[in-house]
Amino acid sequence: MKIKLLLFSILLPSLGYAQSIISGKVTDTGTGEGLFGATVLIDGTSQGTTTDVDGTFQFSTNLTGAKSLLISYIGFEDLIMPIMIEGDVDAGDVLLKTGNVVLAEANVIASIAVDRRTPVAATMISGQQIQALVGNQEYPEILRKTPSIYVTKEGGGFGDARINVRGFTQRNTAVMINGIPVNDMENGWVYWSNWAGLSDVTSNIQVQRGLGASKLAVSSIGGSINIVTNAADMQKGGVVSIGVGNDGYQKYGLSYSTGLSKGGWALSGQLTHTRGDGYVDGTMFRAYSFFASGTKKFNNNHTVAVTVLGAPQWHHQRLIASNFDNITLRTFVDPDDPNDENAETGVGIKWNNAWGMLDGEEFSWRKNFYHKPKAFINHYWNISPKTELKTSAYVSLGRGGGTGPRGRIRAPGSIFDTFSGFGTGTHDENGEVRFDDLVAYHQGTAIAGWGQKLAASSGPLAGSFVTSSSGQLPNQMGTEGSGFIRRASMNSHNWYGILSTLTHQLSSNLSLVAGIDGRYYKGIHYRRVENLLGNDAYLAVSDINNRVNYITEEAPADFGNFGDPSYKDGNNVINYYNDGLVNWMGLFAQIEYTVNNLSVFGALSGSNQGFKRIDYFVYEDSDSEQESDWENILGGTVKAGANYNINAKHNVFFNAGYYSQQPLFDNVYINFRNDVNEEIENQTVTAFELGYGFRSKSFRAKLNLYSTVWGNRQFDRTEENDEGEEIVYQFTDVSQDHKGIELELTVVPVRRLEIFGMLSVGDWKYGNNFLARGQNIDTQQPEGELTLYVADLQVGDAAQTTMSVGADYEVTKGVHVYADWYRAANLYAEYNVNDAQFLQPGGEVVELPAYSLVDAGISYDFSFAEGTRTTLRFNMNNVLDEIYVSELDTNIKDDPTTGENEFYNNKGIFGFGRTWNASLRFHF
């Protein structure tokens, strides 16, 4: 509070500086329509705004004299307009011309869609909106109010959020930075903690739902998220920022951009540090981020841009989906306790079973640590007035992983690390892990309930305290090997790629885009001892080439550990060690025909993905099977669509596509060996979409209808026959049907008020019952059939109905207040379609209670010296502190005939309660 008062006391006296109002309207020269979302800035500064629905703009400045406005909009040529500021300035109609090429520079590679031209369902979020809303939320959460998007914080650790688009998980949503894919090439996942610092340097994010405008054969069944950063777009000046929030949240940032100089140079850099205790108990985090980008324009023909970015971080986590922990929703909140008048007993939604105190500091079994720096070199070449070549070469070197416990206590019997109750096992009466007691136990101190750990009586470390995964040492049956260590599961990678796009204007109406997409990926997977927790050594016995390995050195988990060579010499490797190699070569082409108000396109892409696995633990070094052969699988897409601008207000579009999706690396090899899944086939996606757009001076609307069929999914199930023989049933062509309607609205009823809303209603179901024919493993003969009765069962794990309504009102010059209401409904548990209950008709899926959230905020934007701008902001999320369940990992339905609500016997995750953040940004 003292800091805030000091800031206000410094800044408030400066409010007397004279302010001028700059206003006008940005218009499309060709159609006469106002352009919504165009950027208007005073050239060489960060002062400016974006245009309203009708293309109008207005902002205040304390600058005076001869200046220039820089007006930019995707798909149009930038315009510099001289003005003289001697009071209020009315710039009148500012006319922008459509660019010769659909998109410019970074946006070409990123496949950014152009409104009323590219026939896809897309929502653009500007960098200004991102900075205003993100606060201490997770990066994906600012997309929550976009149609058909569902976001949860999962366990609640820093950067652990996940996102679904149209009911499809992150594995089926292509996330790209400047057009370069970032989904893990082995499992398809996106780890948002690796990109936490990008919010400060993002020019815009575009969410494309459906197959989208990307020309690459990427996994965009649900859609794509394009994050665009561009040094040349960043205006001259810098920003110093300070942010605070609930639970010790702090963020400090510094960025500076030179702007584009007369010599064609543009340089930008950014550094941030973020830290906090975490909303969830025991989820402390520390994170940094850096961004450096340089652009050089060589005359009008060549531009080269070099960008390096990264976000080293570590954070403690909460994982509550374990089948071994006796943790359910009831552990957190128990509505059936008769002694609780508020029906909210338990330890509360913040409780975390994985943490405790060690030597007076927070310590956790679960710690994620990673650093995934990425470097790009982009070359933009205007070969001729009709031909352009855009090329991006990139490299990503990821290092890090996640920790967990390894071992058990022999007391006698077994005490595992899993939660067995308050005051039992390894947890105290508050549910915290007894790490100090564990260290004492590992050094020979007798602990009540655990007994005393004995030193090894034989072997190379006789007389030392050694722990093994089984809690016992070879040929010994006492507590000589009893105890725990903290291990780190490493998932590092080396990733190299090139993406090159050639655009050629075949005629005034016809253009061709073609290119290549090449990638090489090596995933490095192993486990190591991260913390001995007072033990002298850990005994590892999994390596076939080194059966007895006493590990005495730790390799701490800290920001990725780029200098850790332990896996190379095998001195600190346990449980497994293997490499996954992926080669990718793709070709794509798109032809576009534009005449008057009609735009039509057709696109083809194809790729070959090669997979190889090398296992250093399961196979002996001399075994030729240690390294598998390459498995090559072809896939591709075909897409077509059209947009027609009926007039200045109305447009319609459609698109359709077919996608043959190759399996992920993790599906190609089975049994944690180099065994190839012989039954694996490409999955198929068939999509169709119809859209309508309307915009006028004060009203803007987008309406989309879509249908996506995700088919040819395969999995198997093993059952025993009457003779006890195992029968394998292979299910093929399992499909999901995703249909829905999406609506986006923006209304400006009066000058200072903007009202926005969204509604998405999905109908995501399994299409049919599925039949599998069995094969007897012993006789290798066909035997029996099995049916999964899942027709019309709802797809789980994402809300099928979402809606929001909000408003932003400028109370007085520079003072904005906003609030919005968001609701999620028709949300079902994440369940296994292969579950036994679906082997007969009548299987059911649990529906989670619908919930609503209210967010609100206020900001004050002012200048106290020429060339500067200061923004004070306060945001509050979940203002009403609603307690709600955001996802379920089990499928237990309430039985209304009992006195207990069995829904709370599910394993699941509660969303966050009320949170807040405040920030100060000083632009100079």
Side-chain angles (χ1 to χ4, degrees):
M1 183 59 70
K2 291 181 179 180
I3 294 175
K4 295 178 185 177
L5 290 174
L6 177 61
L7 290 172
F8 276 103
S9 68
I10 294 172
L11 297 174
L12 284 176
S14 64
L15 302 185
Y17 280 83
Q19 298 278 304
S20 298
I21 296 176
I22 313 296
S23 61
K25 181 177 181 178
V26 179
T27 302
D28 181 347
T29 302
T31 65
E33 305 168 6
L35 294 175
F36 172 64
T39 300
V40 182
L41 294 169
I42 296 178
D43 194 20
T45 78
S46 57
Q47 296 188 32
T49 186
T50 55
T51 55
D52 291 335
V53 172
D54 60 347
T56 59
F57 64 88
Q58 177 179 303
F59 65 95
S60 58
T61 179
N62 65 330
L63 299 178
T64 59
K67 304 293 179 184
S68 294
L69 293 180
L70 175 62
I71 302 100
S72 59
Y73 189 73
I74 290 176
F76 290 76
E77 295 179 355
D78 289 354
L79 176 67
I80 295 180
M81 178 182 181
I83 59 173
M84 177 62 70
I85 306 176
E86 295 177 336
D88 294 347
V89 177
D90 183 357
D93 273 348
V94 180
L95 303 178
L96 292 189
K97 297 179 180 179
T98 304
N100 292 329
V101 183
V102 177
L103 302 171
E105 300 187 351
N107 292 327
V108 173
I109 298 175
S111 299
I112 294 295
V114 178
D115 188 32
R116 290 171 55 86
R117 178 163 180 170
T118 311
V120 299
T123 301
M124 183 76 78
I125 301 173
S126 70
Q128 293 169 312
Q129 291 173 292
I130 295 167
Q131 292 171 8
L133 297 177
V134 68
N136 58 353
Q137 296 188 99
E138 298 297 338
Y139 202 13
E141 289 183 272
I142 58 177
L143 306 178
R144 175 183 283 138
K145 298 172 183 68
T146 302
S148 298
I149 283 188
Y150 188 68
V151 181
T152 83
K153 292 177 178 287
E154 289 213 312
F158 173 79
D160 285 344
R162 67 169 180 86
I163 189 169
N164 287 57
V165 181
R166 289 185 175 175
F168 299 101
T169 69
Q170 292 183 151
R171 289 185 171 88
N172 296 299
T173 300
V175 178
M176 292 174 275
I177 298 174
N178 293 340
I180 305 303
V182 300
N183 299 70
D184 189 287
M185 287 193 67
E186 291 179 281
N187 60 34
W189 202 250
V190 178
Y191 303 92
W192 291 100
S193 58
N194 297 332
W195 315 109
L198 279 181
S199 60
D200 294 309
V201 292
T202 298
S203 296
N204 57 69
I205 295 179
Q206 187 176 82
V207 180
Q208 298 175 13
R209 300 179 294 278
L211 292 180
S214 173
K215 305 166 190 67
L216 310 182
V218 294
S219 300
S220 57
I221 300 175
S224 61
I225 299 172
N226 295 277
I227 302 170
V228 178
T229 66
N230 192 354
D233 286 346
M234 298 177 187
Q235 302 307 304
K236 181 179 181 180
V239 178
V240 177
S241 61
I242 301 173
V244 296
N246 55 277
D247 300 292
Y249 176 87
Q250 301 173 55
K251 183 175 182 179
Y252 308 94
L254 173 64
S255 63
Y256 185 78
S257 297
T258 65
L260 188 61
S261 69
K262 293 181 179 180
W265 284 97
L267 302 174
S268 296
Q270 172 252 2
L271 291 171
T272 64
H273 173 55
T274 311
R275 61 193 296 130
D277 300 326
Y279 178 85
V280 172
D281 295 339
T283 54
M284 178 187 293
F285 60 91
R286 300 289 185 266
Y288 297 86
S289 70
F290 62 87
F291 171 92
S293 185
T295 299
K296 169 61 177 173
K297 290 183 178 292
F298 299 90
N299 53 60
N300 293 323
N301 295 328
H302 295 275
T303 299
V304 176
V306 179
T307 301
V308 179
L309 55 90
Q313 60 80 35
W314 65 259
H315 66 278
H316 292 157
Q317 296 178 292
R318 175 176 66 174
L319 303 177
I320 57 177
S322 169
N323 293 325
F324 303 103
D325 286 319
N326 186 30
I327 299 172
T328 66
L329 296 177
R330 194 178 302 280
T331 310
F332 302 93
V333 175
D334 187 356
D336 299 321
D337 190 329
N339 298 319
D340 179 33
E341 60 181 11
N342 297 317
E344 293 180 8
T345 61
V347 290
I349 63 174
K350 293 186 175 185
W351 178 69
N352 179 6
N353 70 303
W355 81 290
M357 302 298 292
L358 178 61
D359 291 332
E361 296 183 358
E362 180 178 303
F363 192 83
S364 177
W365 285 131
R366 302 292 180 179
K367 180 180 182 180
N368 177 275
F369 57 105
Y370 215 85
H371 186 197
K372 187 178 182 177
K374 208 173 187 81
F376 314 82
I377 299 178
N378 291 357
H379 177 228
Y380 312 110
W381 181 16
N382 297 323
I383 300 173
S384 73
K386 293 184 177 181
T387 308
E388 294 188 337
L389 181 65
K390 317 290 186 182
T391 303
S392 179
Y394 59 93
V395 58
S396 172
L397 303 176
R399 296 293 183 269
T403 69
R406 190 75 181 165
R408 70 179 74 174
I409 294 176
R410 300 282 184 177
S414 291
I415 297 176
F416 296 95
D417 61 280
T418 51
F419 180 76
S420 57
F422 296 92
T424 64
T426 58
H427 291 77
D428 64 17
E429 62 278 2
N430 296 317
E432 297 179 12
V433 181
R434 300 160 56 187
F435 286 114
D436 285 327
D437 284 346
L438 281 174
V439 171
Y441 175 78
H442 295 154
Q443 295 173 350
T445 301
I447 302 295
W450 301 351
Q452 183 177 7
K453 177 182 173 69
L454 302 178
S457 58
S458 61
L461 292 180
S464 300
F465 293 104
V466 181
T467 282
S468 71
S469 62
S470 65
Q472 293 179 332
L473 299 182
N475 304 317
Q476 299 178 9
M477 299 302 293
T479 58
E480 292 90 342
S482 181
F484 293 95
I485 54 115
R486 188 168 77 169
R487 51 81 183 163
S489 299
M490 305 297 292
N491 183 24
S492 301
H493 72 251
N494 301 327
W495 184 351
Y496 309 91
I498 185 169
L499 174 61
S500 188
T501 302
L502 178 73
T503 302
H504 180 65
Q505 202 74 28
L506 298 171
S507 69
S508 59
N509 302 113
L510 193 64
S511 64
L512 172 68
V513 179
I516 61 171
D517 173 20
R519 312 177 206 171
Y520 172 80
Y521 178 96
K522 178 181 180 180
I524 305 164
H525 319 291
Y526 61 97
R527 274 185 175 171
R528 70 186 190 199
V529 175
E530 191 272 338
N531 194 312
L532 286 167
L533 291 176
N535 288 287
D536 294 317
Y538 175 79
L539 173 62
V541 295
S542 302
D543 184 358
I544 195 172
N545 296 294
N546 186 14
R547 278 300 189 190
V548 180
N549 182 17
Y550 289 93
I551 299 172
T552 58
E553 298 294 328
E554 304 169 335
D558 190 23
F559 296 113
N561 294 94
F562 265 83
D564 171 37
S566 59
Y567 72 96
K568 294 181 180 180
D569 54 27
N571 290 335
N572 184 0
V573 185
I574 64 175
N575 299 120
Y576 60 84
Y577 175 21
N578 58 77
D579 294 340
L581 309 182
V582 182
N583 274 331
W584 175 305
M585 177 53 69
L587 301 174
F588 56 87
Q590 175 175 302
I591 192 164
E592 181 179 3
Y593 178 75
T594 303
V595 57
N596 297 325
N597 292 330
L598 176 66
S599 175
V600 181
F601 86 94
L604 291 170
S605 70
S607 65
N608 176 76
Q609 294 186 34
F611 305 96
K612 177 192 281 282
R613 188 177 187 275
I614 306 172
D615 198 309
Y616 305 100
F617 255 43
V618 175
Y619 304 94
E620 294 182 357
D621 293 339
S622 59
D623 191 340
S624 62
E625 294 185 358
Q626 186 180 76
E627 182 172 334
S628 75
D629 295 328
W630 283 98
E631 297 294 325
N632 293 291
I633 304 175
L634 297 175
T637 63
V638 55
K639 295 187 289 187
N643 178 84
Y644 180 65
N645 295 331
I646 300 171
N647 54 35
K649 293 185 177 180
H650 305 271
N651 75 289
V652 293
F653 75 83
F654 84 91
N655 68 59
Y658 176 83
Y659 180 21
S660 177
Q661 181 188 31
Q662 294 110 316
L664 296 169
F665 180 96
D666 289 352
N667 300 127
V668 174
Y669 295 99
I670 56 178
N671 303 324
F672 304 103
R673 298 174 62 91
N674 294 346
D675 300 336
V676 176
N677 183 355
E678 300 294 343
E679 305 296 330
I680 200 71
E681 297 179 7
N682 282 11
Q683 298 174 2
T684 60
V685 180
T686 305
F688 179 81
E689 187 155 2
L690 184 65
Y692 165 74
F694 175 85
R695 65 181 180 184
S696 66
K697 181 177 180 180
S698 59
F699 181 70
R700 182 182 180 93
K702 293 181 180 180
L703 179 68
N704 304 304
L705 305 174
Y706 68 88
S707 174
T708 303
V709 179
W710 182 22
N712 203 35
R713 300 172 60 198
Q714 308 99 28
F715 54 85
D716 58 64
R717 183 181 181 87
T718 301
E719 299 280 339
E720 288 189 354
N721 62 14
D722 294 339
E723 287 74 34
E725 297 171 327
E726 290 186 336
I727 312 298
V728 175
Y729 297 90
Q730 185 72 35
F731 291 92
T732 60
D733 202 26
V734 177
S735 66
Q736 295 175 202
D737 298 344
H738 292 235
K739 301 180 178 68
I741 182 171
E742 301 165 339
L743 177 65
E744 290 181 276
L745 301 172
T746 303
V747 185
V748 184
V750 295
R751 176 63 198 170
R752 296 177 181 270
L753 176 64
E754 182 178 6
I755 300 172
F756 40 88
M758 170 277 291
L759 171 67
S760 59
V761 179
D763 183 21
W764 310 331
K765 296 179 179 179
Y766 285 93
N768 300 291
N769 296 326
F770 302 106
L771 177 68
R773 290 178 171 82
Q775 184 176 32
N776 190 303
I777 293 179
D778 293 333
T779 66
Q780 292 297 301
Q781 295 298 313
E783 181 174 332
E785 295 180 345
L786 205 60
T787 300
L788 278 180
Y789 295 91
V790 295
D792 295 327
L793 281 183
Q794 299 287 353
V795 173
D797 205 30
Q800 302 200 19
T801 299
T802 59
M803 63 187 77
S804 70
V805 177
D808 185 297
Y809 180 62
E810 187 176 12
V811 180
T812 187
K813 186 185 301 181
V815 178
H816 284 259
V817 295
Y818 88 91
D820 63 64
W821 170 83
Y822 167 85
R823 184 168 179 80
N826 296 330
L827 170 62
Y828 298 88
E830 181 182 16
Y831 62 94
N832 187 354
V833 69
N834 198 14
D835 193 80
Q837 69 162 313
F838 303 122
L839 296 179
Q840 55 189 0
E844 295 181 307
V845 181
V846 176
E847 182 176 358
L848 282 67
Y851 63 88
S852 298
L853 303 175
V854 175
D855 298 337
I858 183 171
S859 66
Y860 183 29
D861 200 346
F862 59 91
S863 298
F864 63 87
E866 184 171 344
T868 68
R869 180 164 58 89
T870 302
T871 302
L872 296 172
R873 189 178 304 280
F874 179 83
N875 293 329
M876 183 173 287
N877 302 108
N878 194 1
V879 174
L880 302 180
D881 201 23
E882 176 163 343
I883 295 178
Y884 63 98
V885 180
S886 60
E887 57 183 290
L888 284 187
D889 294 303
T890 55
N891 189 29
I892 303 172
K893 205 165 186 178
D894 178 41
D895 183 354
T897 64
T898 68
E900 180 182 73
N901 187 345
E902 284 86 1
F903 173 82
Y904 281 80
N905 295 335
N906 281 291
K907 293 182 179 295
I909 296 173
F910 286 91
F912 279 19
R914 183 186 298 117
T915 60
W916 64 269
N917 64 86
S919 64
L920 180 149
R921 295 178 63 86
F922 175 65
H923 302 249
F924 60 91

